[in-house]
């Protein structure tokens, strides 16, 4: 059977999506029309947060979060080395200093014990914030991070790019959806084509804090406001004020219209991702040469800490990762590696980080491989992927 190349992730665009975008093109608004607020409202409702601010992309979202929280020269922030570089870069954009703490080898998430040790190794007030990442779609235990943050007067930005729809169950038996603002001060999402909701470029910040919400609206549009209640003076109907050094980080109407249309299918996509994961889990469980990262928790023995994995990625760990990667590629299966630890990037090395600084992250990187995971992955394609993975490991 001849297969088309199978990527690790792919967007899903329907006729409905296309219609929604074309309608916007025929409307009076190409940017900042009615679709922007409509998408923000729908997204906030979906995630369960009070406020949502759409922005140009996930990286812009991180940048604005750092600015809204007052990151500047001398501000020190802790994040994970197993993430996309933007999670750390946003601190540098704002002039702050990045600190990494190592990951938990079981989950590849930022290890709270390591964060605690790092904080306690420095004088009080040394750090200002933490940026945990719901890596692969597996929710970070933000309840625990909040407790730690409160102890040390820190803010939290949750990088939830991988996890729209994911949740964990907190100590009060409440499901806490990733990005809902219950524990983190701010959370961010991306609508890059490989993410759950794909608009090409696009991003969202969610929060329950009205002060940060106001600040984000200002920073997204050049720091300019026409809001009468905020103006220092008023010269007439044309009058506006630039009150902060902001940016043009707006997400246009065309793309927010696409986002609204995609959001309607988000639950279906999530369900499909879970099905795909379950099939992989079943095929790979108990294989001696393969470890599944964070296998789904419908079989978890600890119901009180139930987790709903949003499955942006399906990650396996194998000794001969390069061999498997090359073998799959020769079979038109384009697996991917997430991530090369950020602190090993040449730029971060130039800031003084060294290989060996975060051994768990580096060890994880040696073995990880993300298999194809997207809602339109066909059953026969997944069968082919499974067969090839097993064929390589069993040879
Ligand atoms: C995709 C992603 C980003 C950046 O989003 P863009 O929209 O591509 O700028 C940031 N953090 C994580 C974890 C991501 O996966």
């Amino acid at each position: 059977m001849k297969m088309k190349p199978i990527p690790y992730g792919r967007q899903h665009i329907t006729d409905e999506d296309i219609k929604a975008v074309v309608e916007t093109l025929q409307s009076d608004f190409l940017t900042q029309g009615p679709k922007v607020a409509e998408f923000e409202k729908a997204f906030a409702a979906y995630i369960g947060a009070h406020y949502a601010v759409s922005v140009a992309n996930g990286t812009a979202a991180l940048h604005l979060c750092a600015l809204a929280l007052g990151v500047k020269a001398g501000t020190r922030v802790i994040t994970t080395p197993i993430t996309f570089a933007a999670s750390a870069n946003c601190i540098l954009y704002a002039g702050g200093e990045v600190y990494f703490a190592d990951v938990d080898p079981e989950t590849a998430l930022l290890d709270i014990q390591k964060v605690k040790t790092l904080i306690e190794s420095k004088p009080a007030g040394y750090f200002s914030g933490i940026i945990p990442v719901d890596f692969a779609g597996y929710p970070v235990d933000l309840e625990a991070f909040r407790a730690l943050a409160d102890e040390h007067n820190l803010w939290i930005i949750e990088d939830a790019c991988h996890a729209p729809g994911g949740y964990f169950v907190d100590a009060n038996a409440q499901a806490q959806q990733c990005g809902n603002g219950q524990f983190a001060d701010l959370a961010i999402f991306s609508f890059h084509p490989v993410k759950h909701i794909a608009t090409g470029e696009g991003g969202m910040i969610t929060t329950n804090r009205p002060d940060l919400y106001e600040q984000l609206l200002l920073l997204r549009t050049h720091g300019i406001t026409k809001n009468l209640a905020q103006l220092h003076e008023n010269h007439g109907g044309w009058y506006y004020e630039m009150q902060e050094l902001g940016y043009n980080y707006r997400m246009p109407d065309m793309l927010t219209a696409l986002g609204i249309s995609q959001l309607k299918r988000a639950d279906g996509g999530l369900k499909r991702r879970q099905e795909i994961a379950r099939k992989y889990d079943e095929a790979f469980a108990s294989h001696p040469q393969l470890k599944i990262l964070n296998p789904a928790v419908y079989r978890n023995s600890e119901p009180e800490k139930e987790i709903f994995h949003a499955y942006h990625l399906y990650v396996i760990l194998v000794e001969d990762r390069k061999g498997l990667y090359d073998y799959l590629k020769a079979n038109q299966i384009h697996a991917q590696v997430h991530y090369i630890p950020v602190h090993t990037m040449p730029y971060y090395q130039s800031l003084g980080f060294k290989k060996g600084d975060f051994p768990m992250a580096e060890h994880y990187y040696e073995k990880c491989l993300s298999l194809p995971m997207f809602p339109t992955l066909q059953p026969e394609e997944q069968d082919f992927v499974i067969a090839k993975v097993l064929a390589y490991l069993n040879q």
Side-chain angles (χ1 to χ4, degrees), residues 315-319 321 362-369:
V315 180
I316 59 171
L317 302 162
V318 289
E319 280 305 320
R321 191 268 313 280
E362 291 167 43
H363 185 71
Y364 163 83
Y365 165 62
E366 292 299 317
K367 298 190 162 133
C368 65
L369 194 63

Side-chain angles (χ1 to χ4, degrees), residues 37-55:
E38 190 183 330
F39 185 38
E40 290 170 344
K41 198 156 172 264
F43 193 84
Y46 178 71
I47 294 297
H50 295 184
Y51 307 104
V53 179
S54 62
V55 287

Side-chain angles (χ1 to χ4, degrees), residues 57-60 62 83-84 86-87 133 159 161-162 188 190-192 195 201-202 312 339:
N57 52 62
T59 304
L62 284 160
T83 186
F84 183 61
S87 314
V133 179
D159 183 337
C161 283
H162 295 183
I188 71 109
S190 161
F191 307 126
H192 177 279
K195 309 288 162 74
E201 298 286 354
H312 168 55
Y339 288 98

Side-chain angles (χ1 to χ4, degrees), residues 318-335:
V318 289
E319 280 305 320
D320 181 17
R321 191 268 313 280
K322 183 166 188 306
L324 178 57
Y325 172 91
D326 289 340
Y327 177 81
L328 293 178
K329 195 164 177 193
N331 283 285
Q332 299 274 65
I333 298 165
H334 297 268

